[in-house]
Amino acid sequence: MAVDDRSEAIVKTFAVKPKLKPTTNKSTPTPESKYWKSFKPKQTQTLVSSITSLSFSPTAPHDIAATHSATVTIFSSQTLEPKSTISSFKDTATSACFRSDGQLIAAGSYSGQIQVFDPKKRSALRRLRGHSRPVHFVSYPRVDKLHLYSGGDDAVVKYWDVSSEILIHNLIGHKDYVRCGDGSPASDDMFITGSYDHTVRVWDVRVSNQGSMMNINHGAPVEDVIYLPSGGLIATAGGNNVKIWDVIGGGKLLHSMESHNKTVTSLCVGKIGKDSGEFSNQYRILSVSLDGYMKVFDYSTLKITSSIRYPSSLMSVAFSPDCTTRVIGTSNGILYAGKRKTDENLGSVKSEWGKYVGFGAIDEPEKRVLRPSYFRYFHRGQNEKPSKGDYLIMRPKKVKLAEHDKLLKKFHHKEALVSALRAKNPENIVAVMEELVSRKKLLMCVSNLGMEELGLLLSFLQRYSTMPRYAGVLIALAKKVVENRANDISGSEELKGHIRNLKRSIMEEIRIQQSLQEIQGIISPLLKIAGRR
């Protein structure tokens, strides 16, 4: 009877299932992140080897050209199935590029030869021979149909007349492999190239005898470079950085994005294809990396608006001109193609279904039944208001991060160190320093500190370097600070005062340690004698 009474009490106490608390605005996805996640990635094809480049045809229906192994495969952007395969290369194919009218496609190869094809006939119409090493970059100008520019491992950029197979210009300036390039949207005579010599050069074929028009140092081997739609800005990818440069302003660095953990391999420009709304008809930079992430960067607000993880290292990315298809190529030959559902696509599907049924177009699709395998199943009822007798299960409040923790999450290392120093909490300061040591950024932060910030650091070292719990980290750091910033310290009386105080504290600690050793030497024999008794 006692067991039955207890079960009845439980039933009375929990008459209905508890409902979750409605989600806050902070956890709600933004309209833009929803837009980019609407491109559902579908593994369409597993190709022979790494997909070195992807390119969309500028004209409808915007077919996709993918280079892999010694092959160029053309996919339909509508069905995402292969339409044709071009396999007349003697070595690995690279950098396929459509002409502005979509009628021809050019591609380079490791043999150093560039071939121009008719995608329908799949036979080489022109063969351009001139590179002595593998070709990694081939591109048509945005409108010009008669010329090509290319670059390769011979560190030479070449400008071609395609119809006559004649080399017009040898553009010399790079000192290492030329791996990428792009044509200016403002002029067919101008283009940019990126090289493993860490530089990006701006060329104008009208003044080719004067060398490059501009030389920009990215700071790492350049893997990809693109013009942004205005023609006045360019984006470069090298190392784990994507940088925005103002070409019209003389090559000024506007922003550096460091959100990837490994080498960024490819860039492209994507347009938000919404007809209305806050984010409609705006351009974004899409970057992919060996860390498996695709990042979407809004260069107008200098913020990352979306990040998507893939299970493989990513080598190439492309976005269709009609804003409906996004394709990503991986190092193991997998092609991920995402197609966004548009109103036109839904209308055509309804019309086709209506033909089979015989009642015309269907206005509303059948609503799916929620099942435990669906994501929405676990979010049902969150927006409902609790009724009388319901029990609300409150989620624990989210722990608020300190300012230095927020800055560390954003990889703003120097700002995190300065914020911790100004808060004057020694435990937090040493914790931040240990984190920067693990990231191998502490000495770089110390080198970049201003005079006032360096004074804060020296004041902290003078006060806490002799404390046993912090001495292991701070003594070594103090030595490095004095070595690296000796010139700055010698030029400031205030900083000299901090160094004198630090020296005084260390000398006092050494004197105390010597006294303790003397006392220990006196006490040790007495303890041994006492132990014998």
Side-chain angles (χ1 to χ4, degrees):
M1 291 298 293
V3 174
D4 295 337
D5 293 339
R6 192 184 301 115
S7 62
E8 290 179 2
I10 292 175
V11 171
K12 291 179 181 179
T13 305
F14 300 95
V16 295
K17 290 185 178 180
K19 297 176 182 178
L20 297 175
K21 185 179 179 181
T23 56
T24 62
N25 293 331
K26 292 183 179 180
S27 62
T28 304
T30 63
E32 183 169 349
S33 65
K34 289 182 179 179
Y35 173 82
W36 292 110
K37 289 181 180 179
S38 66
F39 292 86
K40 299 297 182 182
K42 176 185 176 183
Q43 181 179 332
T44 60
Q45 191 79 7
T46 302
L47 304 178
V48 176
S49 63
S50 175
I51 302 172
T52 55
S53 73
L54 291 166
S55 177
F56 276 93
S57 172
T59 59
H62 305 296
D63 291 336
I64 311 162
T67 58
H68 57 96
S69 185
T71 306
V72 176
T73 303
I74 300 175
F75 294 87
S76 169
S77 64
Q78 306 299 318
T79 62
L80 304 178
E81 295 295 330
K83 292 179 64 176
S84 60
T85 301
I86 302 170
S87 55
S88 61
F89 297 90
K90 296 180 181 179
D91 208 331
T92 302
T94 60
S95 187
C97 176
F98 281 95
R99 199 169 70 173
S100 58
D101 58 0
Q103 298 298 316
L104 295 179
I105 184 172
S109 69
Y110 280 11
S111 64
Q113 186 179 124
I114 302 168
Q115 300 186 54
V116 181
F117 302 92
D118 183 343
K120 298 179 182 178
K121 297 180 181 179
R122 296 183 294 175
S123 58
L125 304 179
R126 295 288 187 274
R127 300 179 190 273
L128 308 179
R129 300 176 178 87
H131 285 283
S132 59
R133 302 288 295 277
V135 177
H136 287 277
F137 143 65
V138 178
S139 181
Y140 277 100
R142 295 298 169 96
V143 179
D144 186 1
K145 302 177 183 178
L146 303 178
H147 299 94
L148 274 174
Y149 36 85
S150 62
D153 288 356
D154 54 7
V156 180
V157 179
K158 297 181 182 290
Y159 187 68
W160 304 87
D161 183 345
V162 179
S163 59
S164 58
E165 300 183 359
I166 295 176
L167 174 63
I168 301 176
H169 296 300
N170 268 329
L171 306 176
I172 299 175
H174 287 296
K175 299 178 182 178
D176 207 335
Y177 302 157
V178 179
R179 288 300 176 109
C180 53
D182 193 23
S184 170
S187 172
D188 286 344
D189 298 317
M190 296 182 65
F191 57 93
I192 51 176
T193 56
S195 168
Y196 275 10
D197 62 4
H198 299 194
T199 64
V200 174
R201 292 181 180 265
V202 182
W203 306 93
D204 189 336
V205 295
R206 294 169 293 188
V207 289
S208 59
N209 56 344
Q210 299 180 11
S212 59
M213 302 296 295
M214 188 181 299
N215 185 14
I216 298 172
N217 189 349
H218 178 84
V222 180
E223 298 288 347
D224 202 2
V225 58
I226 57 171
Y227 266 103
L228 300 185
S230 64
L233 303 177
I234 65 172
T236 59
N240 62 342
N241 299 331
V242 177
K243 297 183 178 181
I244 311 294
W245 307 85
D246 183 0
V247 178
I248 297 178
K252 179 182 178 183
L253 176 63
L254 300 180
H255 184 70
S256 178
M257 178 182 70
E258 303 179 5
S259 62
H260 287 287
N261 297 322
K262 294 184 179 180
T263 301
V264 182
T265 53
S266 182
L267 301 174
C268 77
V269 174
K271 182 180 179 182
I272 298 181
K274 289 185 176 182
D275 297 329
S276 61
E278 181 183 355
F279 302 102
S280 62
N281 299 319
Q282 294 186 17
Y283 291 96
R284 301 288 186 264
I285 297 175
L286 278 66
S287 63
V288 295
S289 167
L290 295 179
D291 60 9
Y293 279 94
M294 186 208 73
K295 307 276 185 178
V296 180
F297 181 65
D298 181 0
Y299 57 90
S300 62
T301 60
L302 304 180
K303 292 182 180 179
I304 294 174
T305 58
S306 182
S307 179
I308 301 176
R309 177 80 164 93
Y310 289 85
S312 306
S313 298
L314 308 182
M315 300 299 296
S316 51
V317 61
F319 195 78
S320 66
D322 60 359
C323 310
T324 60
T325 310
R326 180 190 64 210
V327 288
I328 296 175
T330 67
S331 59
N332 55 2
I334 297 176
L335 183 67
Y336 291 99
K339 196 165 181 63
R340 182 173 63 91
K341 290 183 179 181
T342 60
D343 295 337
E344 294 80 4
N345 294 340
L346 291 175
S348 61
V349 170
K350 294 173 185 178
S351 299
E352 291 295 327
W353 178 247
K355 291 178 183 178
Y356 290 107
V357 178
F359 297 101
I362 299 175
D363 294 331
E364 291 292 333
E366 184 179 355
K367 190 174 181 179
R368 293 188 302 177
V369 178
L370 285 180
R371 297 176 182 174
S373 58
Y374 296 156
F375 179 78
R376 290 190 298 118
Y377 177 86
F378 297 97
H379 283 257
R380 66 194 190 283
Q382 288 194 9
N383 295 325
E384 294 182 11
K385 293 183 179 180
S387 58
K388 187 177 180 179
D390 289 350
Y391 289 86
L392 291 180
I393 300 176
M394 305 297 291
R395 290 184 178 179
K397 292 184 178 180
K398 190 175 181 180
V399 178
K400 292 185 178 180
L401 295 177
E403 184 65 22
H404 57 266
D405 287 327
K406 294 178 182 178
L407 292 169
L408 284 174
K409 290 184 70 175
K410 297 178 180 178
F411 298 94
H412 296 170
H413 302 124
K414 172 193 163 185
E415 291 79 1
L417 177 60
V418 173
S419 175
L421 288 171
R422 286 177 176 161
K424 299 181 180 180
N425 187 325
E427 292 184 359
N428 292 341
I429 296 173
V430 174
V432 170
M433 289 179 176
E434 291 176 343
E435 176 64 21
L436 293 177
V437 168
S438 67
R439 298 187 186 188
K440 299 180 180 180
K441 296 291 183 181
L442 181 57
L443 293 181
M444 184 183 297
C445 293
V446 171
S447 302
N448 294 331
L449 290 177
M451 300 299 286
E452 181 183 354
E453 297 162 348
L454 183 58
L456 286 174
L457 177 60
L458 291 175
S459 176
F460 172 77
L461 292 174
Q462 179 265 325
R463 188 171 182 180
Y464 294 99
S465 291
T466 56
M467 294 185 65
R469 61 186 300 186
Y470 305 135
V473 177
L474 299 185
I475 291 294
L477 176 61
K479 181 179 178 181
K480 292 293 184 181
V481 171
V482 174
E483 291 176 356
N484 294 344
R485 302 300 297 269
N487 294 334
D488 296 329
I489 293 171
S490 61
S492 172
E493 291 298 325
E494 183 181 357
L495 297 182
K496 285 182 181 179
H498 288 304
I499 293 297
R500 285 193 292 268
N501 294 336
L502 176 61
K503 182 179 179 181
R504 191 180 300 113
S505 299
I506 293 176
M507 295 302 295
E508 180 66 17
E509 182 65 19
I510 292 174
R511 188 188 62 79
I512 293 173
Q513 294 294 333
Q514 290 175 346
S515 300
L516 290 175
Q517 287 180 349
E518 292 174 1
I519 294 171
Q520 185 180 9
I522 296 172
I523 294 177
S524 295
L526 298 177
L527 293 176
K528 288 183 179 180
I529 294 172
R532 292 173 185 172
R533 293 180 181 178

